[in-house]
Amino acid sequence: MNKLAALWLLICLSLAGSACAGNLLAVKQGNRPPFSFRDGQGKATGIEVDVVVEALRRAGRGVTFREAPNVRLLPFVKGDGIDLAVSVRGSDGDGTYFSDEFIRYENVAISRRNRHIVLHAIPDLDHYTFAIWQNGWRDLGPDFQARYRPSADGRFPANYFQPANQNAQNRMFWVGRVDLIIVDKKVFEWYRKQFSAELNTRVELDYHPIFAATTGFQVAFRNREVRDTFNRALHAMRQDHSYDDIVARYGMAQSP
């Protein structure tokens, strides 16, 4: 790369892409394979990343990703340079425009069969320890939220554990530190494969579908026009099955 090109790249990055031929800056949560993670070369990848990249490509825009903790994905702050936030939920307002649902998580409670755990409804979780993703108490409906939201001093019920990331969450289950894991099926199967070389992940399991069938997430945009073009591209991707091709790229089942 010559000096002029390097200087231009530096300017682009410092301006969060606003001066760079339609390039946008996205903020996303990291380390959630197969949905969002970095490959061996440090490049952002995963189902969510590839869907956003392709939809924006069809809209004539490029995108660069920056990672942030889940709690910092929203709201947008004036002057922060962020154009979109990936995998959030909400409705339009205060200069933020939400896309159509672009990803769905099929969340279930999973236990080892030899523990003979029976779950009929959310209150049954009170009898068992479980591991869930960061801030998962907010994502599984009002009944779960009311039961497992933190107290005023930030403490969770004694049976609720939310490790720092989903690698730690899944490992916690496989090493037997909790009775149950609450997780998306694709995420669970991804880590089940990753841990198979060091842990016994071939045990029989029970799946407890006590939550709403799926949980959907959106992309939040600072610009309404960009949101609208993203929605149109997303619809086209579902119609021509390129969306399903992205899902299959990560060895996962295609979307319904």
Side-chain angles (χ1 to χ4, degrees), residues 65 120 138:
F65 293 92
H120 296 294
R138 301 184 304 189

Side-chain angles (χ1 to χ4, degrees), residues 176-192:
R177 289 185 57 199
V178 289
D179 300 311
L180 298 153
I181 184 170
I182 297 175
V183 66
D184 168 77
K185 284 184 176 180
K186 289 185 175 66
V187 171
F188 182 77
E189 288 303 324
W190 175 276
Y191 280 109
R192 190 179 190 180

Side-chain angles (χ1 to χ4, degrees), residues 47-219:
I47 296 171
E48 293 178 357
V49 170
D50 290 3
V51 168
V52 169
V53 167
E54 175 60 15
L56 289 174
R57 184 195 68 78
R58 294 183 183 207
R61 310 298 292 265
V63 60
T64 300
F65 293 92
R66 177 187 297 170
E67 292 178 2
N70 192 30
V71 294
R72 294 179 56 199
L73 292 180
L74 279 177
F76 294 121
V77 178
K78 185 176 181 180
D80 65 6
I82 304 298
D83 298 298
L84 58 144
V86 179
S87 280
V88 293
R89 300 169 71 186
S91 54
D92 293 1
D94 298 325
T96 304
Y97 304 96
F98 288 83
S99 74
D100 295 336
E101 184 181 285
F102 91 110
I103 203 83
R104 291 194 74 79
Y105 288 73
E106 188 177 0
N107 297 309
V108 295
I110 303 172
S111 64
R112 287 178 170 82
R113 184 159 297 172
N114 62 10
R115 295 206 179 185
H116 308 291
I117 291 174
V118 177
L119 299 178
H120 296 294
I122 287 172
D124 295 333
L125 289 169
D126 291 351
H127 305 296
Y128 307 101
T129 57
F130 62 86
I132 194 169
W133 61 92
Q134 279 279 308
N135 298 307
W137 61 271
R138 301 184 304 189
D139 298 327
L140 294 172
D143 292 342
F144 188 87
Q145 180 170 332
R147 205 169 202 90
Y148 288 106
R149 70 187 308 154
S151 61
D153 61 1
R155 295 185 180 182
F156 289 98
N159 66 320
Y160 176 106
F161 296 91
Q162 54 170 31
N165 55 58
Q166 291 201 285
N167 184 302
Q169 177 203 359
N170 281 266
R171 181 176 290 277
M172 196 174 189
F173 172 77
W174 285 115
V175 300
R177 289 185 57 199
V178 289
D179 300 311
L180 298 153
I181 184 170
I182 297 175
V183 66
D184 168 77
K185 284 184 176 180
K186 289 185 175 66
V187 171
F188 182 77
E189 288 303 324
W190 175 276
Y191 280 109
R192 190 179 190 180
K193 293 176 183 175
Q194 305 306 306
F195 292 148
S196 63
E198 58 175 302
L199 300 169
N200 179 17
T201 63
R202 300 183 67 180
V203 300
E204 291 186 305
L205 301 168
D206 286 322
Y207 292 76
H208 310 275
I210 60 174
F211 309 109
T214 56
T215 304
F217 288 88
Q218 304 153 279
V219 179

